Amino acid sequence: EVELLLTKTKPKKVTLVGSDGHEYPFLLKGREDLHLDERVMQLLEMVNSLMRRDRAGHAKGLRARHYNVVPVGPRAGLIQWVP
């Protein structure tokens, strides 16, 4: 399933069906290099790991929201759709 979003860059919302039968929505973006976005998400995962180890951070339930970013080329990529 593909849905065109009416914005300047016209990204597409793509729903993929996994081998487990579940549907996984992604945003397909073109004309943008998503490698930096991917690195930032990896950094947020590391921050979350450090906060889980910290007693005060863990007790407060602190975490940074991150999502999957998959560059599929130098100027295109998939971004996990977060509801």
Side-chain angles (χ1 to χ4, degrees):
E1 178 181 325
V2 177
E3 177 183 340
L4 179 65
L5 302 176
L6 301 174
T7 64
K8 184 178 177 182
T9 59
K10 295 186 172 69
K12 283 100 183 144
K13 181 180 179 188
V14 179
T15 302
L16 306 174
V17 179
S19 58
D20 59 1
H22 290 98
E23 293 185 347
Y24 298 94
F26 285 88
L27 187 66
L28 174 62
K29 294 187 82 174
R31 295 183 254 166
E32 286 188 47
D33 184 359
L34 297 179
H35 287 92
L36 179 60
D37 299 65
E38 179 185 36
R39 296 290 182 243
V40 169
M41 291 303 115
Q42 290 172 348
L43 174 66
L44 290 178
E45 286 181 62
M46 290 176 58
V47 168
N48 283 340
S49 176
L50 292 172
M51 283 194 285
R52 278 192 300 271
R53 293 180 195 166
D54 179 67
R55 286 185 186 207
H58 182 72
K60 292 179 183 177
L62 298 177
R63 70 180 191 98
R65 175 70 181 199
H66 67 282
Y67 44 87
N68 294 317
V69 177
V70 182
V72 293
R75 305 263 306 148
L78 294 167
I79 301 174
Q80 179 185 9
W81 188 271
V82 180

